[in-house]
Amino acid sequence: MRTDYLGNPVSSSTAALAAVDGFLDGFLSYETRAAEVIAAAEAEPGSALLNVYAAILWLLLEAPEAADRAAPYLDRARAAPANDRERKIIAFTDAWAADDIPGALTIADAILAAWPRDLLILKLRQYHDFNRGDFPAMLRVASAALPHAGDVAQLHGMLAFAYEQCHLLDEAEAAARHALTLKRKEPWAQHAIAHVMLTQGRIDEGAAFLEGVRDTWTGLNSFMDTHLWWHLALFHLSQGRETDALAAYDGHVWAQAKDYSQDQVGAVSLLVRLELAGVQIGDRWRDLADHLAVRADDVVQPFLTLQYLYGLARAGRPEADALLAAVRRAALEAPDFVRPTWREVALPAAEGLVAHARGDHAGALRGLRIALPRLIEVGGSHAQRDLFEQIVLDALIGAGRLAEAQQALELRRAHDPDGVPLNRTLAQVYDQLELPAEAAKARARVERRRAALA
Protein backbone atom coordinates (compact mmCIF):
# COMPACT_ATOMS: atom_id res chain seq x y z
CA MET A 1 0.00 0.00 0.00
CA ARG A 2 1.30 3.41 -0.93
CA THR A 3 1.19 6.21 1.62
CA ASP A 4 1.70 9.94 1.50
CA TYR A 5 4.65 11.44 3.34
CA LEU A 6 2.59 11.64 6.52
CA GLY A 7 1.82 7.92 6.38
CA ASN A 8 -1.79 8.09 5.17
CA PRO A 9 -2.95 5.44 2.65
CA VAL A 10 -3.30 6.56 -0.96
CA SER A 11 -4.41 4.86 -4.14
CA SER A 12 -2.45 7.18 -6.42
CA SER A 13 0.17 6.09 -8.91
CA THR A 14 3.81 6.63 -8.12
CA ALA A 15 3.86 9.71 -10.37
CA ALA A 16 0.73 11.14 -8.79
CA LEU A 17 2.05 10.46 -5.30
CA ALA A 18 4.87 12.94 -5.78
CA ALA A 19 2.29 15.60 -6.65
CA VAL A 20 0.15 14.57 -3.66
CA ASP A 21 3.09 15.02 -1.32
CA GLY A 22 4.02 18.32 -2.93
CA PHE A 23 0.51 19.64 -2.40
CA LEU A 24 0.27 18.44 1.19
CA ASP A 25 3.59 19.87 2.29
CA GLY A 26 3.06 23.07 0.31
CA PHE A 27 -0.41 23.56 1.77
CA LEU A 28 0.63 22.95 5.36
CA SER A 29 3.64 25.24 4.84
CA TYR A 30 1.56 28.05 3.23
CA GLU A 31 3.70 27.92 0.11
CA THR A 32 2.74 28.83 -3.45
CA ARG A 33 3.75 25.39 -4.71
CA ALA A 34 0.48 24.01 -3.31
CA ALA A 35 -1.23 25.56 -6.34
CA GLU A 36 0.64 23.12 -8.60
CA VAL A 37 -2.02 20.56 -7.68
CA ILE A 38 -4.33 22.10 -10.30
CA ALA A 39 -1.98 21.24 -13.16
CA ALA A 40 -1.23 17.86 -11.55
CA ALA A 41 -4.95 17.03 -11.46
CA GLU A 42 -5.29 17.95 -15.13
CA ALA A 43 -2.36 15.69 -15.95
CA GLU A 44 -3.80 12.82 -13.84
CA PRO A 45 -7.60 12.90 -14.38
CA GLY A 46 -7.84 9.38 -12.95
CA SER A 47 -6.36 10.34 -9.58
CA ALA A 48 -9.14 10.73 -7.04
CA LEU A 49 -6.85 12.36 -4.51
CA LEU A 50 -5.26 14.93 -6.80
CA ASN A 51 -8.66 15.96 -8.12
CA VAL A 52 -10.30 16.30 -4.73
CA TYR A 53 -7.29 18.29 -3.52
CA ALA A 54 -7.67 20.57 -6.55
CA ALA A 55 -11.34 21.02 -5.66
CA ILE A 56 -10.37 21.93 -2.09
CA LEU A 57 -7.98 24.56 -3.37
CA TRP A 58 -10.74 26.12 -5.44
CA LEU A 59 -13.12 26.16 -2.47
CA LEU A 60 -10.50 28.12 -0.56
CA LEU A 61 -10.96 30.89 -3.11
CA GLU A 62 -13.69 32.12 -0.70
CA ALA A 63 -15.81 33.57 -3.47
CA PRO A 64 -19.33 32.92 -4.81
CA GLU A 65 -17.92 31.11 -7.84
CA ALA A 66 -15.68 28.79 -5.82
CA ALA A 67 -18.04 25.79 -5.82
CA ASP A 68 -18.49 26.04 -9.59
CA ARG A 69 -14.71 26.14 -10.08
CA ALA A 70 -14.34 23.09 -7.85
CA ALA A 71 -17.15 21.08 -9.48
CA PRO A 72 -15.27 19.53 -12.47
CA TYR A 73 -12.52 18.26 -10.16
CA LEU A 74 -15.04 16.84 -7.73
CA ASP A 75 -16.81 15.07 -10.62
CA ARG A 76 -13.54 13.44 -11.67
CA ALA A 77 -12.68 12.52 -8.10
CA ARG A 78 -16.03 10.78 -7.63
CA ALA A 79 -15.55 8.80 -10.84
CA ALA A 80 -12.00 7.67 -10.05
CA PRO A 81 -10.97 4.55 -8.09
CA ALA A 82 -10.45 5.48 -4.44
CA ASN A 83 -9.78 3.90 -1.07
CA ASP A 84 -11.95 4.43 1.99
CA ARG A 85 -10.04 7.49 3.25
CA GLU A 86 -10.14 9.13 -0.17
CA ARG A 87 -13.89 8.50 -0.50
CA LYS A 88 -14.42 10.17 2.85
CA ILE A 89 -12.31 13.17 1.76
CA ILE A 90 -14.48 13.43 -1.37
CA ALA A 91 -17.62 13.31 0.80
CA PHE A 92 -16.18 16.01 3.08
CA THR A 93 -15.46 18.23 0.08
CA ASP A 94 -18.90 17.57 -1.43
CA ALA A 95 -20.54 18.71 1.80
CA TRP A 96 -18.36 21.81 1.95
CA ALA A 97 -19.14 22.71 -1.67
CA ALA A 98 -22.86 22.37 -0.88
CA ASP A 99 -22.40 24.73 2.11
CA ASP A 100 -23.26 21.92 4.51
CA ILE A 101 -20.52 22.83 6.96
CA PRO A 102 -21.93 20.84 9.91
CA GLY A 103 -22.03 17.76 7.67
CA ALA A 104 -18.48 18.38 6.48
CA LEU A 105 -17.24 18.64 10.06
CA THR A 106 -18.87 15.33 10.98
CA ILE A 107 -17.06 13.64 8.09
CA ALA A 108 -13.79 15.36 9.02
CA ASP A 109 -14.07 13.94 12.53
CA ALA A 110 -14.54 10.45 11.13
CA ILE A 111 -11.45 10.85 8.96
CA LEU A 112 -9.34 12.11 11.84
CA ALA A 113 -10.52 9.31 14.13
CA ALA A 114 -9.33 6.72 11.61
CA TRP A 115 -6.29 8.55 10.21
CA PRO A 116 -5.07 11.06 12.84
CA ARG A 117 -2.05 11.99 10.71
CA ASP A 118 -4.26 13.42 7.98
CA LEU A 119 -3.13 16.93 8.83
CA LEU A 120 -4.71 18.42 5.73
CA ILE A 121 -8.16 17.46 7.00
CA LEU A 122 -7.19 18.66 10.48
CA LYS A 123 -6.15 22.02 9.03
CA LEU A 124 -9.41 22.31 7.10
CA ARG A 125 -11.39 21.30 10.19
CA GLN A 126 -9.68 24.14 12.05
CA TYR A 127 -10.38 26.49 9.13
CA HIS A 128 -14.12 25.89 9.40
CA ASP A 129 -14.06 26.06 13.20
CA PHE A 130 -12.21 29.37 12.97
CA ASN A 131 -14.79 30.79 10.58
CA ARG A 132 -17.53 29.91 13.10
CA GLY A 133 -15.66 31.22 16.13
CA ASP A 134 -15.39 27.75 17.70
CA PHE A 135 -11.84 28.03 19.00
CA PRO A 136 -12.11 25.23 21.60
CA ALA A 137 -12.93 22.87 18.71
CA MET A 138 -9.70 23.96 17.00
CA LEU A 139 -7.80 23.07 20.16
CA ARG A 140 -9.61 19.79 20.64
CA VAL A 141 -8.78 18.38 17.19
CA ALA A 142 -5.15 19.50 17.29
CA SER A 143 -4.66 18.07 20.78
CA ALA A 144 -6.14 14.73 19.70
CA ALA A 145 -3.63 14.46 16.86
CA LEU A 146 -0.62 15.29 19.01
CA PRO A 147 0.18 11.71 20.19
CA HIS A 148 0.10 10.56 16.55
CA ALA A 149 1.85 13.41 14.71
CA GLY A 150 3.99 15.13 17.31
CA ASP A 151 6.99 14.89 14.99
CA VAL A 152 5.40 17.32 12.48
CA ALA A 153 6.23 20.99 13.00
CA GLN A 154 3.04 22.23 11.38
CA LEU A 155 0.87 20.37 13.89
CA HIS A 156 2.51 22.29 16.72
CA GLY A 157 1.83 25.50 14.80
CA MET A 158 -1.84 24.55 14.51
CA LEU A 159 -1.91 23.72 18.21
CA ALA A 160 -0.25 27.03 19.08
CA PHE A 161 -2.79 29.13 17.20
CA ALA A 162 -5.67 27.18 18.73
CA TYR A 163 -4.25 27.77 22.21
CA GLU A 164 -3.83 31.46 21.45
CA GLN A 165 -7.39 31.87 20.23
CA CYS A 166 -8.55 30.21 23.46
CA HIS A 167 -6.50 32.84 25.36
CA LEU A 168 -4.13 30.17 26.69
CA LEU A 169 -1.16 32.33 25.87
CA ASP A 170 1.63 30.53 27.75
CA GLU A 171 0.64 27.22 26.17
CA ALA A 172 0.41 28.92 22.78
CA GLU A 173 3.91 30.32 22.95
CA ALA A 174 5.37 27.02 24.18
CA ALA A 175 3.75 25.10 21.31
CA ALA A 176 4.89 27.66 18.76
CA ARG A 177 8.45 27.69 20.09
CA HIS A 178 8.52 23.89 19.87
CA ALA A 179 7.32 24.06 16.26
CA LEU A 180 10.18 26.40 15.44
CA THR A 181 12.73 24.02 16.97
CA LEU A 182 11.45 21.40 14.54
CA LYS A 183 11.32 23.76 11.57
CA ARG A 184 12.44 27.39 11.74
CA LYS A 185 10.44 28.20 8.62
CA GLU A 186 7.04 27.41 10.13
CA PRO A 187 5.04 30.55 9.39
CA TRP A 188 1.89 29.54 11.26
CA ALA A 189 3.93 29.14 14.45
CA GLN A 190 5.62 32.49 13.82
CA HIS A 191 2.15 33.95 13.36
CA ALA A 192 0.96 32.45 16.67
CA ILE A 193 3.88 34.04 18.52
CA ALA A 194 3.02 37.41 16.94
CA HIS A 195 -0.52 37.02 18.28
CA VAL A 196 0.72 36.19 21.77
CA MET A 197 3.07 39.15 21.89
CA LEU A 198 0.47 41.57 20.55
CA THR A 199 -2.08 40.38 23.11
CA GLN A 200 0.42 40.67 25.97
CA GLY A 201 1.62 44.12 24.91
CA ARG A 202 5.13 42.86 24.13
CA ILE A 203 5.31 45.29 21.24
CA ASP A 204 9.05 45.78 20.82
CA GLU A 205 9.70 42.08 21.34
CA GLY A 206 7.04 41.20 18.78
CA ALA A 207 8.47 43.52 16.16
CA ALA A 208 11.98 42.21 16.79
CA PHE A 209 10.78 38.61 16.61
CA LEU A 210 9.07 39.04 13.24
CA GLU A 211 11.97 41.05 11.86
CA GLY A 212 14.28 38.26 13.04
CA VAL A 213 12.44 35.53 11.11
CA ARG A 214 11.63 37.62 8.06
CA ASP A 215 14.37 35.89 6.09
CA THR A 216 12.22 32.72 6.12
CA TRP A 217 9.28 34.40 4.38
CA THR A 218 10.19 32.94 1.00
CA GLY A 219 7.89 31.06 -1.35
CA LEU A 220 4.87 31.83 0.84
CA ASN A 221 1.41 32.22 -0.60
CA SER A 222 -0.01 35.71 -0.66
CA PHE A 223 -2.20 35.23 2.42
CA MET A 224 0.61 34.08 4.67
CA ASP A 225 3.13 36.62 3.44
CA THR A 226 0.75 39.58 3.59
CA HIS A 227 -0.63 38.49 6.96
CA LEU A 228 2.80 38.28 8.58
CA TRP A 229 3.52 41.76 7.26
CA TRP A 230 0.12 42.87 8.60
CA HIS A 231 1.17 41.72 12.06
CA LEU A 232 4.51 43.49 11.75
CA ALA A 233 2.68 46.67 10.70
CA LEU A 234 0.52 46.50 13.85
CA PHE A 235 3.66 46.42 15.99
CA HIS A 236 5.09 49.33 14.01
CA LEU A 237 1.91 51.35 14.48
CA SER A 238 2.00 50.87 18.24
CA GLN A 239 5.67 51.89 18.28
CA GLY A 240 4.87 55.10 16.44
CA ARG A 241 6.68 53.94 13.31
CA GLU A 242 3.90 55.16 11.03
CA THR A 243 6.17 55.43 8.00
CA ASP A 244 7.20 51.79 8.36
CA ALA A 245 3.60 50.67 8.84
CA LEU A 246 2.51 52.53 5.71
CA ALA A 247 5.45 51.07 3.79
CA ALA A 248 4.36 47.60 4.89
CA TYR A 249 0.91 48.32 3.48
CA ASP A 250 2.21 49.61 0.15
CA GLY A 251 5.06 47.16 -0.32
CA HIS A 252 3.57 43.95 1.06
CA VAL A 253 0.05 43.88 2.50
CA TRP A 254 -1.53 45.41 -0.60
CA ALA A 255 0.99 44.42 -3.23
CA GLN A 256 0.25 40.82 -4.13
CA ALA A 257 -3.03 39.00 -4.98
CA LYS A 258 -5.37 41.98 -5.08
CA ASP A 259 -8.26 39.79 -6.23
CA TYR A 260 -7.98 37.36 -3.30
CA SER A 261 -10.31 37.56 -0.30
CA GLN A 262 -7.68 37.37 2.43
CA ASP A 263 -5.40 39.93 0.81
CA GLN A 264 -8.36 42.28 0.42
CA VAL A 265 -9.57 42.08 4.01
CA GLY A 266 -6.02 42.38 5.32
CA ALA A 267 -5.65 45.58 3.32
CA VAL A 268 -9.00 46.98 4.54
CA SER A 269 -8.16 46.14 8.13
CA LEU A 270 -4.73 47.75 8.04
CA LEU A 271 -5.88 50.82 6.14
CA VAL A 272 -8.61 51.49 8.72
CA ARG A 273 -6.08 51.18 11.52
CA LEU A 274 -3.66 53.52 9.76
CA GLU A 275 -6.39 56.10 9.27
CA LEU A 276 -7.61 55.83 12.86
CA ALA A 277 -4.00 56.31 14.00
CA GLY A 278 -3.91 59.62 12.15
CA VAL A 279 -1.75 58.49 9.23
CA GLN A 280 -2.39 60.38 5.99
CA ILE A 281 -3.35 57.67 3.49
CA GLY A 282 -4.06 59.74 0.39
CA ASP A 283 -6.26 58.04 -2.20
CA ARG A 284 -5.55 54.48 -1.10
CA TRP A 285 -9.23 53.77 -0.40
CA ARG A 286 -9.99 54.39 -4.07
CA ASP A 287 -7.44 51.86 -5.28
CA LEU A 288 -8.59 49.27 -2.77
CA ALA A 289 -12.27 49.78 -3.57
CA ASP A 290 -11.58 49.29 -7.28
CA HIS A 291 -10.71 45.68 -6.40
CA LEU A 292 -13.52 45.30 -3.86
CA ALA A 293 -16.22 46.33 -6.33
CA VAL A 294 -16.65 42.73 -7.54
CA ARG A 295 -17.70 41.79 -3.98
CA ALA A 296 -21.01 43.68 -4.25
CA ASP A 297 -23.01 40.47 -3.70
CA ASP A 298 -20.39 38.37 -1.86
CA VAL A 299 -21.81 36.89 1.34
CA VAL A 300 -19.69 33.74 1.41
CA GLN A 301 -18.44 34.50 4.93
CA PRO A 302 -19.72 37.23 7.27
CA PHE A 303 -16.26 38.17 8.55
CA LEU A 304 -15.03 38.80 5.02
CA THR A 305 -18.21 40.54 3.91
CA LEU A 306 -18.10 43.07 6.75
CA GLN A 307 -14.66 44.24 5.71
CA TYR A 308 -15.47 44.36 2.00
CA LEU A 309 -18.47 46.47 2.98
CA TYR A 310 -16.50 48.93 5.07
CA GLY A 311 -13.91 49.41 2.34
CA LEU A 312 -16.57 50.08 -0.28
CA ALA A 313 -18.49 52.46 1.99
CA ARG A 314 -15.37 54.30 3.10
CA ALA A 315 -14.46 54.87 -0.56
CA GLY A 316 -17.96 56.17 -1.28
CA ARG A 317 -18.72 53.40 -3.75
CA PRO A 318 -22.35 52.56 -4.65
CA GLU A 319 -21.50 48.86 -4.41
CA ALA A 320 -21.62 49.31 -0.61
CA ASP A 321 -25.41 49.66 -0.80
CA ALA A 322 -25.67 46.55 -2.98
CA LEU A 323 -23.58 44.56 -0.53
CA LEU A 324 -25.59 45.81 2.44
CA ALA A 325 -28.71 44.62 0.63
CA ALA A 326 -27.05 41.22 0.12
CA VAL A 327 -26.35 41.04 3.87
CA ARG A 328 -30.03 41.74 4.54
CA ARG A 329 -30.97 38.89 2.19
CA ALA A 330 -28.51 36.56 3.91
CA ALA A 331 -30.14 37.39 7.23
CA LEU A 332 -33.34 35.87 5.79
CA GLU A 333 -32.03 33.18 3.45
CA ALA A 334 -28.69 31.84 4.70
CA PRO A 335 -28.46 28.13 5.66
CA ASP A 336 -30.01 27.31 9.02
CA PHE A 337 -26.71 26.79 10.83
CA VAL A 338 -25.48 30.30 10.07
CA ARG A 339 -28.66 32.33 9.57
CA PRO A 340 -28.84 33.60 13.17
CA THR A 341 -25.31 34.91 12.84
CA TRP A 342 -26.18 36.82 9.69
CA ARG A 343 -29.45 38.13 11.17
CA GLU A 344 -28.43 38.97 14.72
CA VAL A 345 -24.72 39.79 14.40
CA ALA A 346 -23.56 40.49 10.85
CA LEU A 347 -26.53 42.64 9.84
CA PRO A 348 -26.34 45.13 12.73
CA ALA A 349 -22.56 45.18 12.39
CA ALA A 350 -22.90 45.90 8.67
CA GLU A 351 -25.31 48.76 9.29
CA GLY A 352 -23.01 50.18 11.94
CA LEU A 353 -19.95 49.95 9.71
CA VAL A 354 -21.65 51.71 6.81
CA ALA A 355 -22.83 54.43 9.20
CA HIS A 356 -19.31 54.96 10.52
CA ALA A 357 -17.79 55.05 7.04
CA ARG A 358 -20.30 57.78 6.15
CA GLY A 359 -19.67 59.85 9.28
CA ASP A 360 -22.78 58.85 11.23
CA HIS A 361 -21.27 58.11 14.64
CA ALA A 362 -24.57 57.56 16.43
CA GLY A 363 -25.66 55.07 13.77
CA ALA A 364 -22.33 53.32 14.02
CA LEU A 365 -22.79 52.86 17.75
CA ARG A 366 -26.36 51.61 17.38
CA GLY A 367 -25.39 48.83 15.02
CA LEU A 368 -21.98 47.81 16.29
CA ARG A 369 -22.95 47.74 19.95
CA ILE A 370 -25.65 45.19 19.17
CA ALA A 371 -23.10 43.02 17.35
CA LEU A 372 -20.02 43.30 19.55
CA PRO A 373 -21.02 40.87 22.35
CA ARG A 374 -21.49 38.09 19.77
CA LEU A 375 -18.95 39.13 17.17
CA ILE A 376 -16.97 35.93 17.73
CA GLU A 377 -19.66 34.16 15.70
CA VAL A 378 -18.61 35.84 12.45
CA GLY A 379 -15.11 34.35 12.67
CA GLY A 380 -11.72 35.99 12.48
CA SER A 381 -9.11 36.10 15.20
CA HIS A 382 -9.50 38.33 18.25
CA ALA A 383 -6.69 40.51 16.85
CA GLN A 384 -8.65 40.89 13.62
CA ARG A 385 -11.98 41.53 15.37
CA ASP A 386 -10.32 44.27 17.43
CA LEU A 387 -10.78 46.42 14.34
CA PHE A 388 -14.49 46.70 15.19
CA GLU A 389 -13.67 47.71 18.77
CA GLN A 390 -11.44 50.47 17.41
CA ILE A 391 -14.20 51.71 15.14
CA VAL A 392 -16.61 51.81 18.09
CA LEU A 393 -14.05 53.80 20.07
CA ASP A 394 -13.69 56.28 17.22
CA ALA A 395 -17.48 56.56 17.04
CA LEU A 396 -17.69 57.27 20.78
CA ILE A 397 -15.25 60.15 20.39
CA GLY A 398 -17.00 61.40 17.26
CA ALA A 399 -20.36 61.32 19.06
CA GLY A 400 -18.94 63.27 22.00
CA ARG A 401 -19.33 60.39 24.44
CA LEU A 402 -15.98 61.15 25.99
CA ALA A 403 -16.49 59.55 29.39
CA GLU A 404 -17.13 56.20 27.71
CA ALA A 405 -14.19 56.75 25.38
CA GLN A 406 -11.88 57.45 28.32
CA GLN A 407 -12.93 54.20 29.98
CA ALA A 408 -12.33 52.18 26.82
CA LEU A 409 -8.97 53.80 26.15
CA GLU A 410 -7.62 53.20 29.63
CA LEU A 411 -8.74 49.57 29.49
CA ARG A 412 -6.92 49.20 26.17
CA ARG A 413 -3.80 50.75 27.68
CA ALA A 414 -3.49 47.74 29.98
CA HIS A 415 -2.52 45.73 26.89
CA ASP A 416 -0.64 48.47 25.02
CA PRO A 417 0.69 50.76 27.76
CA ASP A 418 3.08 52.79 25.61
CA GLY A 419 1.22 52.62 22.30
CA VAL A 420 1.70 55.87 20.43
CA PRO A 421 -1.71 56.13 18.69
CA LEU A 422 -3.49 55.05 21.86
CA ASN A 423 -1.79 57.58 24.11
CA ARG A 424 -2.12 60.34 21.55
CA THR A 425 -5.87 59.74 21.44
CA LEU A 426 -5.98 59.61 25.23
CA ALA A 427 -4.30 62.99 25.43
CA GLN A 428 -6.89 64.49 23.10
CA VAL A 429 -9.76 63.00 25.08
CA TYR A 430 -8.34 64.19 28.39
CA ASP A 431 -7.96 67.68 26.94
CA GLN A 432 -11.65 67.71 26.03
CA LEU A 433 -12.55 66.34 29.48
CA GLU A 434 -10.58 69.22 31.04
CA LEU A 435 -8.11 66.90 32.73
CA PRO A 436 -4.82 68.55 31.71
CA ALA A 437 -2.62 66.56 34.10
CA GLU A 438 -3.80 63.26 32.61
CA ALA A 439 -3.42 64.63 29.09
CA ALA A 440 0.16 65.60 29.93
CA LYS A 441 0.92 62.09 31.19
CA ALA A 442 -0.41 60.57 27.98
CA ARG A 443 1.68 62.96 25.87
CA ALA A 444 4.74 62.17 27.95
CA ARG A 445 4.27 58.47 27.20
CA VAL A 446 4.20 59.30 23.49
CA GLU A 447 7.36 61.37 23.76
CA ARG A 448 9.21 58.68 25.73
CA ARG A 449 8.20 56.10 23.14
CA ARG A 450 9.41 58.20 20.25
CA ALA A 451 12.66 59.03 22.05
CA ALA A 452 13.32 55.33 22.64
CA LEU A 453 13.13 54.70 18.89
CA ALA A 454 15.24 57.70 17.90
Side-chain angles (χ1 to χ4, degrees):
M1 181 187 299
R2 294 187 179 91
T3 62
D4 63 28
Y5 83 97
L6 291 167
N8 300 300
V10 299
S11 62
S12 301
S13 67
T14 302
L17 182 55
V20 165
D21 283 345
F23 170 72
L24 287 174
D25 191 46
F27 183 83
L28 295 174
S29 301
Y30 287 91
E31 293 180 353
T32 55
R33 60 194 171 96
E36 295 170 7
V37 74
I38 302 294
E42 297 291 352
E44 295 274 356
S47 169
L49 205 51
L50 283 177
N51 279 279
V52 74
Y53 284 167
I56 285 169
L57 198 65
W58 278 118
L59 290 176
L60 289 167
L61 185 64
E62 299 176 325
E65 67 271 20
D68 289 340
R69 302 296 293 268
Y73 298 94
L74 264 175
D75 289 342
R76 290 206 300 243
R78 287 190 217 97
N83 63 28
D84 185 40
R85 184 179 75 95
E86 293 163 343
R87 284 191 292 271
K88 284 183 170 62
I89 294 172
I90 294 166
F92 162 82
T93 311
D94 268 329
W96 178 6
D99 208 14
D100 177 12
I101 304 306
L105 296 183
T106 297
I107 299 167
D109 286 343
I111 295 169
L112 293 171
W115 299 281
R117 286 179 66 89
D118 193 333
L119 298 187
L120 173 71
I121 293 299
L122 194 157
K123 186 72 170 175
L124 294 171
R125 175 58 154 102
Q126 285 195 329
Y127 167 80
H128 289 295
D129 292 330
F130 178 76
N131 289 338
R132 290 154 54 94
D134 192 349
F135 306 121
M138 294 174 63
L139 181 56
R140 184 170 61 248
V141 294
S143 298
L146 194 58
H148 308 278
D151 58 309
V152 183
Q154 291 96 335
L155 175 59
H156 294 276
M158 292 183 235
L159 185 65
F161 187 59
Y163 273 131
E164 195 277 332
Q165 288 300 293
C166 289
H167 303 287
L168 297 165
L169 301 184
D170 291 343
E171 294 87 345
E173 185 165 1
R177 297 284 186 190
H178 183 66
L180 297 179
T181 65
L182 296 174
K183 184 180 181 182
R184 182 169 175 262
K185 185 185 178 182
E186 211 303 272
W188 203 238
Q190 297 171 0
H191 161 258
I193 289 175
H195 268 270
V196 169
M197 292 180 175
L198 183 67
T199 303
Q200 293 180 331
R202 296 156 62 187
I203 302 301
D204 291 347
E205 189 180 355
F209 169 75
L210 288 181
E211 288 163 349
V213 296
R214 207 170 67 190
D215 63 293
T216 68
W217 301 351
T218 58
L220 299 179
N221 63 31
S222 69
F223 160 67
M224 193 74 263
D225 190 64
T226 60
H227 195 58
L228 288 168
W229 277 99
W230 181 89
H231 274 279
L232 184 54
L234 297 193
F235 289 129
H236 286 167
L237 263 182
S238 177
Q239 292 176 312
R241 295 165 61 181
E242 293 94 346
T243 300
D244 290 335
L246 191 59
Y249 177 90
D250 289 335
H252 300 280
V253 175
W254 190 234
Q256 297 194 42
K258 293 188 174 185
D259 59 345
Y260 183 46
S261 56
Q262 295 294 333
D263 290 47
Q264 290 175 347
V265 300
V268 170
S269 178
L270 182 54
L271 202 55
V272 178
R273 285 169 164 86
L274 285 162
E275 195 165 47
L276 292 177
V279 178
Q280 296 301 309
I281 61 169
D283 65 351
R284 288 175 176 83
W285 280 118
R286 179 190 56 76
D287 173 60
L288 180 48
D290 285 345
H291 294 85
L292 295 174
V294 297
R295 304 289 184 179
D297 60 353
D298 190 331
V299 289
V300 171
Q301 290 181 24
F303 175 71
L304 301 177
T305 296
L306 290 175
Q307 290 169 97
Y308 303 149
L309 179 61
Y310 189 89
L312 289 167
R314 183 65 188 81
R317 296 290 293 253
E319 292 88 352
D321 294 304
L323 186 52
L324 183 56
V327 173
R328 291 181 174 131
R329 289 193 298 274
L332 298 172
E333 302 169 2
D336 290 348
F337 76 92
V338 74
R339 192 181 306 146
T341 296
W342 279 106
R343 182 179 64 244
E344 299 162 20
V345 186
L347 178 55
E351 291 171 341
L353 289 170
V354 170
H356 183 268
R358 293 173 175 170
D360 176 4
H361 298 295
L365 292 172
R366 276 195 305 274
L368 285 166
R369 283 190 149 176
I370 292 171
L372 279 183
R374 291 176 54 188
L375 203 60
I376 190 174
E377 295 176 37
V378 306
S381 70
H382 55 82
Q384 290 174 310
R385 293 192 309 276
D386 185 59
L387 172 69
F388 304 104
E389 300 274 3
Q390 292 188 40
I391 290 172
V392 166
L393 178 55
D394 185 69
L396 285 172
I397 296 170
R401 297 168 71 163
L402 299 179
E404 293 173 74
Q406 181 273 338
Q407 292 286 296
L409 285 162
E410 287 293 359
L411 286 172
R412 292 182 71 85
R413 198 163 67 83
H415 300 285
D416 189 14
D418 300 313
V420 169
L422 177 60
N423 280 291
R424 192 164 50 215
T425 303
L426 258 176
Q428 294 165 357
V429 167
Y430 279 129
D431 279 338
Q432 293 179 71
L433 289 169
E434 299 180 8
L435 291 166
E438 300 308 319
K441 291 176 188 176
R443 287 194 176 90
R445 289 190 290 268
V446 172
E447 294 306 314
R448 284 197 302 271
R449 196 73 176 89
R450 291 197 180 282
L453 289 172

